[in-house]
Structure formats: C-alpha cells, structure tokens
Amino acid sequence: MKIAIASGKGGTGKTTLSTNLAAFLAEKEHVVLTDLDVEEPNSGLFIKGTLKHSESKYKMIPEWDSAYCNLCGICQEVCNFNAVLKMGKNIMVFPELCHGCYACSELCPKNSLPMKEKPMGELKHFEAAGLSFIESKLLIGEEQAVPLIKQTIDYVDENFPEEIIKIYDSPPGTSCPVIEATKHADIVILITEPTPFGFHDLTLAVETIRELKKEFVVVVNRYGIGDDSVEKYCKAEGITIIGKIPNDRKVAEVYAKGDLLYPALPSVKKVIEKIALFIQGERGDSGR
Amino acid sequence: MKIIFTAKGTEWDSPMDPRFGRTEYFFIYDEDSKKIETYDNRAIENEAHGAGPKTSQKLAEYGADILITGNGPGGNAAAVLQQVGIKVITGAGDMTVKEAYEAFKNGTLS
C-alpha cells in the first residue's frame, strides 16, 4: 500500500509525519519510507540506519553528432521545451531545458542526436529495525526533480513487494515534482497548519490531488495556532481530517534534537496511533 | 550598423522591455539605411520553457550587430547569442527606445 504525504505549503510537517508514522508502524511490521523531496531530502535527519546500497542516477540527454546531420531541423520542431535549436550550421542542445523525452533522438532521420547519460543525483538505501529508508538527492545545479523522483519510485517498486506499507515524503508545492510523487499513491495525506498560508496552500493542494483523482485525507499540524478556516473548509468540502497534532513547544525541542516525536510526547503518539489505525482500516477496505 | 532593441512597443517613444527572452517586440534600426523594422514576439508568452534560446534564434535572423536590452540574457540565451556573434549591451531597461539609442551613442551604456 502506497501512502504519499504531501502539503501545499512547505514546512507544515510532511517529514515529521512521514518519519514518525513510518517508525511507529515499523514497530509491528516492515515499512518502507522514501524521501522524494529530492531537492532537499531531510527524512534522513530523523532515521538512523545503516547504508545498504547507493547508486548514481542518470537522465538521458541528446548529444549532437555532426557527422551525418543534414540540418533538416526536425529535432527543433518536435521539442516542446526549446531544448534543441538549429542555429545556422549547428544544432545546440540545452541540457537544463531537456526533459529526456527522446523525441528529437528517435525522430532524427540521420541518428545524429544519440542519447547520452548525464548524472543527476544519488540514491541511498538504508536499513533500520523494521524500516527500510530510501532517499535521493539531486546534484547541485540540476533543475529537474521529476526524473529522479520517478527513478526513485521505480527503485522502491523493484526492491519491495507490493503489499507492504510504503510511505512517501513528497516535495512541497503543487507543481510537477509533487504530481510525480503522488500520482502512484493509493492514498494521499495532506498535512497543513491552521494559518492563512497553510489554509490557502491546502486549497491549492486539494485542487491538484482532486485533478489526479486520488483519495486523500487531511492532517492538521500545530493545531491550536491560527484560526479555524482549515476546519471550516474541510467540513464544507466533505474532506476528512484524520488527525490534529497539537502545537507544543516540546515538539520543537524534540524535533530540534533530531529525535522522533512520538516516543517522547504522548500527545503526539495519540495522533500517530489514530493515523496508523486509519491506514490499517484503509488497507482492510482495499482488500490487501 | 544594425541595432536590435527589446521593446514594449513599435515606436521610438515606446518603453524598452527590460527582459530579453520574453521581450514583447524587437525594434530593429538600420543606421545605414535609416530603416526601422519591428517584430512582434508576444507569442513567446505561450512558451513555458526555453524562451531565451527561442528569442535568440529569432534575433539571429536579422543579422544585427548590436543588441540593446535591460537585464541581459540568461545562460541559455547567452550561449546562442555568442554563436550569433552579436554584441550585447544592457542597462537600458528603464528608458524609451530613443533614449536607449542616444545613451548608446553617447557611450553611457555598455
């Protein structure tokens, strides 16, 4: 079962919920936690495991071979991203704009744009008690998160059986990386905070996830600050809030030490238990 | 000498467009023939990616010697412009086309 934890706004507690929920569930069964926020993965700050495997990840970029090129220009016509341009007697490729779709390479009648590997990031696989933890990180200067997110999801699919619980810590926002990180999930948990920013970005996240036709629920973090606009909105929209993590100075203290919250804070443990029960219920419903 | 300005309109009094890749118009002035040409680049709005290279490619068709603009091109556009071999002059983003031309002639732009 795949559970993606996302938010609109950054800093609302995706990693806090992902790591605590994964570690809590891992006390009873094998869980895979994957950090898909490849631009700045930070679940690893809270999960202490031993490195089992690491590998470089590559994206495929065309490289112009002038030998047989007849400068027909098909390559630039088929590129949706202006990543290939014909300039006089040269074909220019812009690797940062390229989405690795192969169109120019495949449609070139002279095979003058062979695809070449370009390193984009690093995947690491750690093992802790009951918990497998995967994280990927983009190399400095790489702009596109989506190809690395996709390859990281593929790694998890290839290395772990379908039926175990897989939790995916997603990137913030509502753009392509979030869509890539959530579109494969069975359920999406949107975590937000009851502030005007949290509320506003939750509505954007809900719009996005609805567009993807995904089942989703909401968790409210730092409950007790701000106002009741998130709760009113969820009620009006018929969205289930499955947990409210209370706002508490002690949360910040434990978090700042790099520790998990639920072993130290009973009030948080209660909420995590409730979310775990919800997940177990969902799993029962889906017949797995 | 042929000069291309990035502009928000098609007149000498039009404000300069400080952006290169997403400029609304090119205003092209040929000092020798005193002729003016303009190019409507507003379709670039529909390009989510790669506006810089695309606009540079268009610019190359005019065979100009000098580009006068505001903020200056980004990395991808700069790579194309280098290939084109055009000289890039920046810092004219807050002027009209006419003011930018005069400033260039006075040597106050570089």
Side-chain angles (χ1 to χ4, degrees):
Chain A
M1 184 190 193
K2 297 178 174 182
I3 304 147
I5 296 178
S7 71
K9 186 181 174 297
T12 56
K14 288 179 296 299
T15 297
T16 301
L17 178 59
S18 301
T19 51
N20 280 276
L21 185 60
F24 180 80
L25 290 166
E27 289 178 0
K28 295 206 174 102
E29 61 180 299
H30 183 199
V31 175
V32 184
L33 170 64
T34 307
D35 195 340
L36 294 177
D37 188 2
V38 299
E39 287 174 89
E40 43 183 356
N42 59 355
S43 282
L45 299 173
F46 303 93
I47 304 293
K48 280 101 194 154
T50 49
L51 184 66
K52 190 192 159 201
H53 173 73
S54 73
E55 61 188 61
S56 290
K57 289 294 188 189
Y58 301 87
K59 65 175 182 177
M60 301 303 283
I61 298 289
E63 199 176 270
W64 184 48
D65 174 0
S66 62
Y68 300 103
C69 176
N70 61 1
L71 298 165
C72 69
I74 288 176
C75 49
Q76 70 169 5
E77 279 164 37
V78 298
C79 183
N80 269 338
F81 305 99
N82 294 315
V84 188
L85 282 191
K86 189 178 93 162
M87 285 298 302
K89 289 192 168 155
N90 286 306
I91 302 294
M92 296 182 80
V93 176
F94 302 94
E96 289 80 16
L97 293 172
C98 177
H99 285 53
C101 76
Y102 281 69
C104 61
S105 186
E106 293 286 323
L107 295 168
C108 174
K110 298 286 181 189
N111 293 322
S112 294
L113 285 161
M115 299 298 276
K116 294 273 163 72
E117 281 186 338
K118 180 174 189 277
M120 67 169 165
E122 194 79 21
L123 178 147
K124 289 197 166 104
H125 175 168
F126 299 88
E127 286 292 334
L131 183 65
S132 301
F133 171 57
I134 320 296
E135 70 163 22
S136 284
K137 198 177 193 171
L138 274 180
L139 294 176
I140 290 170
E142 283 300 311
E143 293 176 32
Q144 286 175 34
V146 170
L148 185 55
I149 292 172
K150 188 178 182 318
Q151 289 186 27
T152 307
I153 292 169
D154 289 347
Y155 177 89
V156 174
D157 285 344
E158 285 158 19
N159 286 277
F160 299 98
E162 202 178 319
E163 62 277 6
I164 63 175
I165 292 184
K166 296 170 185 143
I167 294 174
Y168 297 88
D169 186 3
S170 305
T174 51
S175 61
C176 299
V178 181
I179 288 163
E180 193 63 37
T182 53
K183 71 179 186 193
H184 65 110
D186 298 306
I187 186 159
V188 179
I189 299 177
L190 294 175
I191 182 157
T192 187
E193 57 184 32
T195 59
F197 280 143
F199 168 59
H200 174 266
D201 287 4
L202 173 67
T203 63
L204 297 180
V206 166
E207 239 180 275
T208 308
I209 302 302
R210 277 185 175 153
E211 190 74 25
L212 293 171
K213 301 194 167 44
K214 289 283 160 194
E215 194 189 332
F216 68 96
V217 291
V218 165
V219 169
V220 182
N221 192 14
R222 306 183 71 197
Y223 185 68
I225 60 165
D227 56 32
D228 61 354
S229 50
V230 166
E231 281 179 280
K232 275 187 177 157
Y233 166 78
C234 288
K235 201 172 171 197
E237 293 284 323
I239 298 165
T240 313
I241 296 177
I242 57 164
K244 297 169 186 169
I245 300 170
N247 187 51
D248 185 343
R249 189 191 156 86
K250 286 189 200 118
V251 168
E253 286 170 11
V254 176
Y255 173 92
K257 278 191 254 170
D259 289 340
L260 291 170
L261 301 180
Y262 77 87
L265 300 166
S267 61
V268 175
K269 187 172 183 179
K270 241 165 70 183
V271 184
I272 298 293
E273 271 169 353
K274 212 177 137 192
I275 298 168
L277 272 177
F278 169 81
I279 288 166
Q280 276 144 11
E282 283 293 307
R283 186 154 57 161
D285 291 349
S286 63
R288 280 181 213 155
Chain B
M1 201 152 56
K2 207 167 171 182
I3 305 170
I4 294 199
F5 301 81
T6 56
K8 286 179 178 293
T10 57
E11 310 289 333
W12 277 113
D13 290 331
S14 302
M16 291 285 288
D17 196 326
R19 303 166 301 172
F20 173 72
R22 295 190 181 277
T23 184
E24 292 183 32
Y25 296 91
F26 285 147
F27 182 99
I28 307 118
Y29 179 56
D30 188 332
E31 286 185 310
D32 304 327
S33 67
K34 307 282 179 214
K35 268 193 189 146
I36 291 164
E37 269 181 283
T38 58
Y39 170 70
D40 186 343
N41 192 46
R42 287 178 296 176
I44 202 75
E45 230 180 275
N46 304 321
E47 300 283 338
H49 307 268
K54 182 107 177 162
T55 298
S56 308
Q57 191 181 33
K58 190 73 210 173
L59 176 143
E61 291 174 16
Y62 290 95
D65 308 284
I66 306 247
L67 164 69
I68 301 182
T69 183
N71 304 329
N76 290 330
V80 184
L81 293 176
Q82 199 179 1
Q83 181 119 3
V84 175
I86 193 169
K87 190 174 179 201
V88 182
I89 307 280
T90 58
D94 296 328
M95 304 176 181
T96 64
V97 175
K98 197 174 176 186
E99 286 165 355
Y101 179 61
E102 282 162 2
F104 169 65
K105 289 313 253 186
N106 295 337
T108 50
L109 283 180
S110 58

